[in-house]
Amino acid sequence: MRGAKSAKWVAGAIVVALAATACGGNDKGDAAGKGEVDPNGIYSVEVGEPEKLLQPADTMESNGSIVMSGLFSQLVDYDADGQLTMVNAESVESKDSKLWTVKLKPGWTFHDGTKVTAESYVKAWNWAANINNKQGNASWFADIKGFDALHPEAEGAKPTAEALEGLKVVDENTFTIELGNAVPYFAYKLGYEVFSPLPESFYKDPKAAGEKPVGNGPYKFKSWEHKKQIELTRFDDYKGENKAKNGGVILKNYSTLETAYEDLKSGNVDVLRQIGPKDLPVYRNDLGDRAVDQAYSAIQTLAIAFYADQWKTPKPVDPKVLQGLSMAIDRDTITKTVLQGTREPATGWVAKGVLGYTPNATGDVTKYNPAKAKELITAGGGVPNNEISIQFNSDGGHKEWVDAVCNSITQATGVKCTGDAKPDFQADLQARKSKQVKSIYRSGWVLDYPVNANFISDLFRTGAGGNQGGFSNPDLDAKIAAADTAASLDESVKAYQAVEKDLVNYMPSIPLWYYKVNAGFSEKVQNVKYAQDGDPILEGVEVKK
């Protein structure tokens, strides 16, 4: 999963320490062979097939999100100094963190020429939150007063309201958002694409609109050849400051990262998002100044399918068992060898470059210690059947490290571990969402908004959109609720830091390592920069004549 397209910031006391690695710029993108620019030039980017229709509130994975980032602009974004910046909003203000007033910049239009108004946002959010519309990201509207009436929790329940009570249109360019409780970081959430506006044409046929979306962003939709490519063209009437410096982008589907890399070298694709493990040892020499090596705010974990028979019968898994499995993984060796130093062993659940990141939040639980690993697993009652499997998508360059993790666990503890490969990311996600994961699955989380709450509440809170493994604990839910209702942003961040340190007692997942962008681009393009969510900033790429 990913978040706001150009969230490329660090904040507070960690700005100086992390700015060099966490900001979205890629110096080599500027240095690699500057040339005369064709402002109407078209270039291509490596992606995979989006999991679902292109609807803002139902897009939860990176292949769909990169498309949405070009088609839709949000109310806010974040700059490199950690400040909220206004995009489609003129202002987002609150005196009590509970009642928020949003004023829009006038004159913005959708790609079909209709106005973007306050109603465009309010109606879109009401539609997305309504349980009848089955949007995967509906839980993002749970902060807003009246969500439970529109999206009841009970199985098979119908909504008892037609709209969120907390949303009110004031005038054409103003609306208010009343939350159920004060949330001091709520304005940061508004940079996530789930909060996109929608044109009136969407509601005539939402499915058709998901095949041919109409947005308010720097690009407009041109075509979608499923499992082949999606083409976007520059929207010349775009009113934002991030106007496209090119004529458009073709998002080309690849089944493996290795195939995409060979196409990059031969000039058949222009921008990669990631290099596969097989090519990591050579890509810097191959590409020279066109090689990218940059940190971004994402973490890889092993997520537990708590609903699986293995973990729930005859009694729920003891966290000590998961602590032991974590301590059986030699992260240092795997990141240095299999991953060629392109990852950094994780010491917490919150990614670097995010407000509230805390070094060593896991204590000893992420340190390799075979003896302690076996001791903990035994103390927790053992791994059921003494075996586990790790589900992963074969098109993402994961097999090599999954094999290495499994070998490490087996050698350290005697627990049998095997990889469970799915052919592509779509199949992997469908297995997760249909609760078909047999044991454990590879999970990666990229910031949706750059606050530590995003890596805790949105993953481990009962019923959260990112909580696909079915983890649920009332005590942790109460601690998350308390952090959400803290008196200020600083106090909320500190409360979440305490929650993160307490996660070792629950083990909702096993942290592995922090991601880096290891990618590259062709000789055809320049000014290729990557945002803090790891994706290339599409509108900034320049195509050479």
Side-chain angles (χ1 to χ4, degrees):
M1 185 156 188
R2 63 184 290 285
K5 168 186 62 60
S6 52
K8 46 185 183 292
W9 70 291
V10 291
I14 58 175
V15 169
V16 174
L18 293 179
T21 58
C23 290
N26 160 31
D27 292 339
K28 291 181 179 179
D30 292 326
K34 277 283 189 181
E36 192 176 353
V37 173
D38 176 4
N40 297 314
I42 307 293
Y43 72 101
S44 58
V45 177
E46 160 269 320
V47 297
E49 175 76 357
E51 178 201 7
K52 295 182 176 181
L53 296 174
L54 296 172
Q55 297 172 334
D58 208 28
T59 298
M60 299 178 66
E61 44 76 39
S62 57
N63 292 328
S65 282
I66 190 172
V67 185
M68 305 305 274
S69 73
L71 293 173
F72 289 89
S73 284
Q74 307 310 313
L75 292 167
V76 303
D77 205 339
Y78 324 96
D79 67 19
D81 296 321
Q83 300 298 314
L84 276 176
T85 60
M86 299 297 111
V87 184
N88 197 181
E90 187 74 54
S91 62
V92 178
E93 297 177 342
S94 178
K95 294 179 180 179
D96 59 2
S97 297
K98 186 174 182 181
L99 181 63
W100 298 80
T101 299
V102 177
K103 293 185 180 295
L104 301 179
K105 294 175 181 175
W108 279 52
T109 63
F110 289 105
H111 302 149
D112 62 5
T114 59
K115 286 184 179 180
V116 177
T117 66
E119 179 69 18
S120 306
Y121 282 93
V122 169
K123 190 170 181 178
W125 297 4
N126 281 325
W127 187 89
N130 192 314
I131 195 170
N132 291 335
N133 295 321
K134 301 177 181 178
Q135 296 293 283
N137 274 333
S139 65
W140 281 79
F141 300 95
D143 293 323
I144 301 173
K145 186 177 181 181
F147 177 77
D148 290 342
L150 199 56
H151 200 102
E153 288 187 12
E155 187 77 25
K158 300 294 183 183
T160 57
E162 294 183 356
L164 292 163
E165 183 183 349
L167 294 181
K168 306 291 183 188
V169 173
V170 177
D171 58 41
E172 185 173 82
N173 292 312
T174 309
F175 66 100
T176 58
I177 310 164
E178 183 180 359
L179 307 183
N181 297 290
V183 179
Y185 57 86
F186 184 75
Y188 288 85
K189 287 190 169 188
L190 298 177
Y192 185 37
E193 60 208 17
V194 68
F195 294 103
S196 298
L198 291 171
E200 277 300 311
S201 60
F202 174 89
Y203 306 101
K204 296 175 184 176
D205 190 341
K207 183 177 180 180
E211 289 280 358
K212 297 180 179 180
V214 175
N216 67 327
Y219 294 99
K220 58 184 179 181
F221 178 86
K222 182 177 180 181
S223 64
W224 184 0
E225 294 180 70
H226 284 278
K227 297 192 175 181
K228 290 185 178 180
Q229 65 180 39
I230 295 173
E231 189 166 358
L232 311 180
T233 60
R234 184 181 61 227
F235 178 42
D236 289 328
D237 292 331
Y238 180 61
K239 297 297 191 294
E241 294 182 6
N242 58 318
K243 292 179 181 290
K245 296 180 179 179
N246 50 71
V249 55
I250 298 171
L251 300 145
K252 298 178 67 173
N253 286 181
Y254 284 91
S255 58
T256 69
L257 297 178
E258 290 77 16
T259 302
Y261 184 64
E262 291 304 313
D263 265 11
L264 177 71
K265 291 193 295 182
S266 60
N268 292 321
V269 68
D270 297 309
V271 178
L272 297 190
R273 297 181 299 168
Q274 201 65 255
I275 302 288
K278 176 176 132 342
D279 297 306
L280 287 174
V282 299
Y283 89 102
R284 294 180 185 88
N285 285 335
D286 286 349
L287 302 179
D289 283 345
R290 295 182 287 110
V292 177
D293 185 350
Q294 173 195 309
Y296 72 106
S297 294
I299 186 171
Q300 187 127 277
T301 65
L302 294 181
I304 317 301
F306 287 97
Y307 54 77
D309 289 342
Q310 176 177 26
W311 305 119
K312 69 179 183 180
T313 57
K315 61 180 181 178
V317 61
D318 190 316
K320 289 188 179 70
V321 172
L322 302 177
Q323 290 172 355
L325 290 174
S326 177
M327 296 188 77
I329 301 170
D330 189 352
R331 294 165 180 78
D332 285 336
T333 298
I334 294 170
T335 54
K336 288 174 183 175
T337 57
V338 178
L339 295 169
Q340 296 289 316
T342 61
R343 305 288 185 271
E344 180 183 347
T347 60
W349 282 268
V350 175
K352 286 190 168 186
V354 170
L355 186 61
Y357 163 76
T358 304
N360 202 31
T362 55
D364 291 337
V365 167
T366 49
K367 295 178 181 177
Y368 181 57
N369 187 330
K372 185 67 174 176
K374 285 190 280 191
E375 178 186 323
L376 283 166
I377 290 172
T378 300
V383 174
N385 302 321
N386 202 43
E387 64 178 311
I388 59 173
S389 61
I390 301 174
Q391 179 179 298
F392 66 96
N393 51 302
S394 298
D395 61 346
H398 302 298
K399 183 182 186 303
E400 292 84 354
W401 69 256
V402 168
D403 288 346
V405 166
C406 275
N407 289 337
S408 183
I409 289 173
T410 300
Q411 289 174 13
T413 67
V415 174
K416 182 181 178 182
C417 179
T418 56
D420 180 9
K422 301 300 177 186
D424 53 36
F425 197 24
Q426 280 187 308
D428 178 37
L429 289 171
Q430 285 304 314
R432 300 187 205 177
K433 292 180 179 180
S434 59
K435 298 189 182 304
Q436 298 299 310
V437 178
K438 301 168 187 173
S439 180
I440 293 172
Y441 61 93
R442 174 210 72 85
S443 183
W445 190 260
V446 186
L447 87 169
D448 297 313
Y449 54 95
V451 182
N452 57 354
N454 182 224
F455 287 81
I456 300 173
S457 176
D458 296 312
L459 281 174
F460 307 134
R461 174 173 39 85
T462 300
N467 188 352
Q468 296 177 333
F471 175 81
S472 181
N473 186 286
D475 291 338
L476 185 62
D477 285 343
K479 292 172 183 177
I480 287 172
D484 278 347
T485 55
S488 68
L489 176 62
D490 285 346
E491 290 181 54
S492 179
V493 167
K494 288 177 183 176
Y496 267 111
Q497 288 175 319
V499 172
E500 184 187 13
K501 288 187 176 181
D502 199 30
L503 288 179
V504 293
N505 298 313
Y506 302 98
M507 293 302 292
S509 68
I510 298 173
L512 289 179
W513 37 75
Y514 306 118
Y515 274 104
K516 293 175 87 175
V517 177
N518 297 100
F521 51 94
S522 74
E523 295 177 346
K524 176 183 171 182
V525 293
Q526 62 188 29
N527 199 40
V528 181
K529 296 176 183 288
Y530 291 75
Q532 197 181 348
D533 64 7
D535 273 347
I537 301 174
L538 300 180
E539 65 272 19
V541 175
E542 296 174 341
V543 181
K544 299 178 186 178
K545 284 187 176 179

